[in-house]
Every structure is written in C-alpha cells, then in structure tokens.
Amino acid sequence: MNRNVLISGASIAGPALAYWLGRHGFQPTVVELAPALRQGGQAVDFRGETHLTVLERMGLLPELRRIQTGGTPMRFVDERGRTLLDLPAQFAGGEIEVLRGDLARVLYEHSLPHAEYIFGDSIVSLTETSSGVRADFRSGISRDFDLVIGADGLHSNVRRLTFGPEEDYVSHLGYYAATWQLPNDLGVGKGSVGYNVPGRLAAVGTDHRDPARAGAFFVFAAPKLSYDRHDPEQQKRLIAGAFSGLGWEVPRLLASLHQAPDLYFDSISRADADTWSTGRVCLVGDAACGATIGGMGTGTAVVAAYVLAGELAQARGDHRAAFARYESRLRKYAEGCQTGGDRTGKFLAPATATGIRLRNTLLSRRLFLNGMLKLGEKVSSTVTLPDYPADPSRVSW
C-alpha cells in the first residue's frame, strides 16, 4: 500500500513531510547525516497567504510567533561607518522570521510521534525492486521501503544516486556565501550592518536572543571554485583571500573566522530537475527546485511537503498518480519563487560601484521598496492549496 516511506534529510522539508505523512497514516522514516538536529543558522522567513495557510493547518503559527525574531533590519554603510541605506525588518523577514535551527526543532518535535528518525547515517545506494526500494546505508544496514523521498537540499544525495550527478542539475550563479558566529565585540545593535565594495559584501548582525553574540555574513563574486565541501579550513582560506585588504571592520571579522567552529560556506546556486520523480523516488524542496539564498526555499519546502503528502493520501498510495499531480500542482509555483535566488548575489554584492549606488538609491525610495515587498508576497501566494483530509481514520485503503 506504499505506506512505508524513507525520507532523506532532517532540515525543513524532511520533518515537514514526515509530519504530514504521519497525519495521513503513513509510516515515515527520516535519515540525516548529521549526528543531531542542526542548531542555529541564518534566519528564514514566511510571507504571503500560501505560506501562512500551511503553517496554520499544521497548528504551528502560535508557536512560531512566540519564537520569531521580529525581523532583521539591514543597514549598509561606507568604509567610515556612515549609513548609506536602511532597510526595514520586513524586507528580509517577511511576516514571520525564525532561526532555521528553531524551525527545524519545531517541525521535528511535531513530527516525532508518527516518525522514526535515524541520525548520523546516510544512504549510499538505492535499488528499486518490483515492490519497493532497497536502501543501503553508510552504517552497513539495508532496509526495504515502499517509497523514497529526497528532502536533502540543493546538494541532494538522493538526486545524485537516482537522477544523476550534481553538475547535471545545479547551476552556479556566480557568488559564494559564508556565515559564522562570533562575539558581538563591534557593539552592533538590533539587526545587521553591511559594507560593500564591488563584488563583495561583509556584514554582521546581532543574535536576537543573546546581544553578546553576533553572526557574520560574507558574500563574494567568483567563478565556480574547486574545494572540499567537508574541509572548513580550506574554505576559511578562500574567504580570507577574497576579502584581503578591505577596510571597515573586515579585518576584525576575518580574525574571528579563524576561531569559528561552525562555518557555513557554499556557492549561491540553483537546482533544476527536469522531472521531480522517477519510479518510486521523488524530490521535494530545494532538491527538486531551489536556490541557495533568496528563492523562498523554506516556505516552498513546507508547501511542497504538504502537497506531496496530501496527494499520496488522496491517491491511496498510488505513487505514480500522486507524484505526477504533486509536480503538476507545484512546478510553476516553485519556479516562480526560485527566480528570486538568481538576483540574490547581484543584490547583496553588486559587481560595480555604480551598481552599489543604484541599489542604494532605488531602495531608499519608499514607493520602490513597498513595490518589492508586495511582489514578494504575491509570488509566494500564486498557488491554490487543496484541503487534504488529515485524519488517518479517514484513510480507507
């Protein structure tokens, strides 16, 4: 009956899907390479009717409102610290902004009563059989599942194993981004402050829970680089080289980088799968259609998890029909949201001094800024959500 579902990835899409599958009477198992839930991380946001409708149907809105950051105002400065542009909290924070780690924890806790979680392991091979999929794990165990879902992000392991190599699906958009935690020795107030030179952004923002802590956020333009994704020391050298010789507070921020235990470093890229499923394997969230930053990936992942689980329930486990309807309902919506990621690097770190001035001038105009905010809400609410029954007792198959 296709009730036994393996989900790869325990960030956002995976636990959201596990929650809805459990509500519909399925038996989800989530495998995650990390030894535990990932804590901290950058703030993520929800905006528009579609995002909020799914959160409301999950019963999460009150809890997320209690732990929200309140939004993150952004200020851009020159080398002497003089303000060039102020952006309000809702520009980046949408209607609800929470830390990624907090959101992952909430989704995990709500899904846990109906899901099995396996941490510190990953899938090394998938073999489709006449009745299901045999999954071999790095730990040496093998298990059989009815369906497998890749909810493991832009660098999806499931997509690589089943659809093909990453380079066939992920496009580099010309920039890299890095974040790490540090003491708030600069005395940054609420929000974040950033400094630009052509092709580079160095920013730092206060931890909304602990004013003594801060987070650095660096973006720089570069062609596709060859580096080890599991070697943070090599990544630190790349960042230091890209920002060497800059003024403002960049030297102090780079000094903190060398002590940072929690570096995040990745290209700003987008993933485009020409089909989201093959056989008994399906992709959800950034693995199917996503962008590193700015593509509304968090909200889209939660929406996609809701629709995929609902279609599987409505099709009484007929994965072929469910996967086809899921993709048909959401592909255009996800691609529309994803296009925002194409502009993220150019917005944060324009390639020329003229581009920096133009961005600052346009966004200083309230009418232009309001238009961008309304556009974001409109793009995130361009799909009609079916109301899938979520009571397992109503599932009669």
Side-chain angles (χ1 to χ4, degrees):
M1 291 295 186
N2 291 340
R3 293 197 189 197
N4 188 16
V5 183
L6 174 63
I7 302 168
S8 176
S11 180
I12 305 301
L17 180 60
Y19 169 85
W20 282 113
L21 287 175
R23 288 278 299 274
H24 287 299
F26 292 82
Q27 298 167 347
T29 296
V30 183
V31 61
E32 167 59 47
L33 177 60
L37 283 179
R38 300 177 190 273
Q39 302 298 313
Q42 292 293 104
V44 296
D45 65 271
F46 298 95
R47 59 185 72 211
E49 181 181 354
T50 299
H51 291 179
L52 299 184
T53 295
V54 173
L55 295 176
E56 184 177 27
R57 291 178 184 177
M58 297 178 82
L60 298 184
L61 273 180
E63 186 170 0
L64 293 182
R65 284 187 169 129
R66 283 196 302 272
I67 64 174
Q68 66 181 328
T69 67
T72 306
M74 303 169 62
R75 183 164 59 95
F76 291 87
V77 300
D78 65 12
E79 190 165 345
R80 296 172 59 184
R82 297 174 298 192
T83 298
L84 301 174
L85 172 66
D86 261 316
L87 293 175
Q90 65 266 33
F91 181 82
E95 293 169 76
I96 296 179
E97 182 185 82
V98 296
L99 294 179
R100 174 174 287 275
D102 288 344
L103 176 62
R105 174 186 55 78
V106 169
L107 291 170
Y108 167 76
E109 290 173 351
H110 281 258
S111 67
L112 195 55
H114 304 289
E116 173 192 6
Y117 278 83
I118 302 171
F119 287 99
D121 209 348
S122 64
I123 306 166
V124 295
S125 70
L126 293 168
T127 305
E128 189 161 339
T129 66
S130 59
S131 59
V133 182
R134 167 63 61 92
D136 299 317
F137 294 88
R138 190 179 65 169
S139 60
I141 66 171
S142 297
R143 287 174 59 178
D144 293 319
F145 297 90
D146 296 321
L147 303 172
V148 176
I149 310 298
D152 40 5
L154 205 72
H155 304 292
S156 172
N157 184 40
V158 168
R159 189 187 61 225
R160 178 181 60 81
L161 291 172
T162 308
F163 291 72
E166 180 170 308
E167 53 266 30
D168 291 349
Y169 299 98
V170 177
S171 303
H172 179 55
L173 297 177
Y175 287 83
Y176 284 82
T179 65
W180 66 92
Q181 298 296 305
L182 68 153
N184 192 10
D185 294 336
L186 301 182
V188 179
K190 181 175 172 57
S192 68
V193 56
Y195 166 68
N196 277 120
V197 296
R200 286 172 282 182
L201 166 72
V204 60
T206 301
D207 187 317
H208 82 285
R209 288 179 175 170
D210 181 3
R213 301 292 300 170
F217 177 51
F218 277 35
V219 174
F220 65 94
K224 190 173 183 179
L225 302 174
S226 176
Y227 65 95
D228 184 348
R229 292 186 57 237
H230 302 289
D231 184 350
E233 295 307 314
Q234 182 188 22
Q235 296 163 26
K236 290 176 182 180
R237 291 192 293 271
L238 289 173
I239 298 163
F243 287 84
S244 175
L246 296 194
W248 186 58
E249 302 289 356
V250 173
R252 293 175 66 181
L253 294 172
L254 287 178
S256 73
L257 170 64
H258 299 298
Q259 312 301 322
D262 58 350
L263 175 68
Y264 164 86
F265 179 76
D266 203 353
S267 64
I268 296 182
S269 299
R270 59 179 284 163
D272 297 277
D274 51 6
T275 179
W276 294 357
S277 64
T278 178
R280 292 176 174 270
V281 179
C282 188
L283 304 175
V284 66
D286 285 350
C289 178
T292 309
I293 306 172
M296 301 186 192
T298 301
T300 303
V302 172
V303 171
Y306 170 79
V307 173
L308 176 56
E311 291 296 339
L312 281 167
Q314 202 165 68
R316 292 177 169 80
D318 180 348
H319 63 280
R320 296 178 184 84
F323 290 169
R325 285 202 296 263
Y326 151 70
E327 183 172 347
S328 176
R329 286 190 185 278
L330 284 190
R331 175 175 280 278
K332 185 176 180 180
Y333 170 73
E335 289 175 345
C337 293
Q338 179 196 41
T339 56
D342 296 350
R343 302 184 292 269
T344 300
K346 297 173 184 177
F347 168 80
L348 292 171
T352 65
T354 300
I356 295 171
R357 286 194 298 271
L358 181 61
R359 178 203 64 191
N360 295 346
T361 299
L362 289 175
L363 289 177
S364 294
R365 298 173 180 172
R366 176 59 60 177
L367 195 61
F368 185 85
L369 179 62
N370 288 342
M372 287 192 66
L373 292 173
K374 290 179 180 177
L375 179 61
E377 292 179 6
K378 181 179 179 181
V379 169
S380 66
S381 299
T382 55
V383 65
T384 301
L385 295 176
D387 189 3
Y388 302 107
D391 182 355
S393 67
R394 298 174 65 181
V395 179
S396 58
W397 34 284

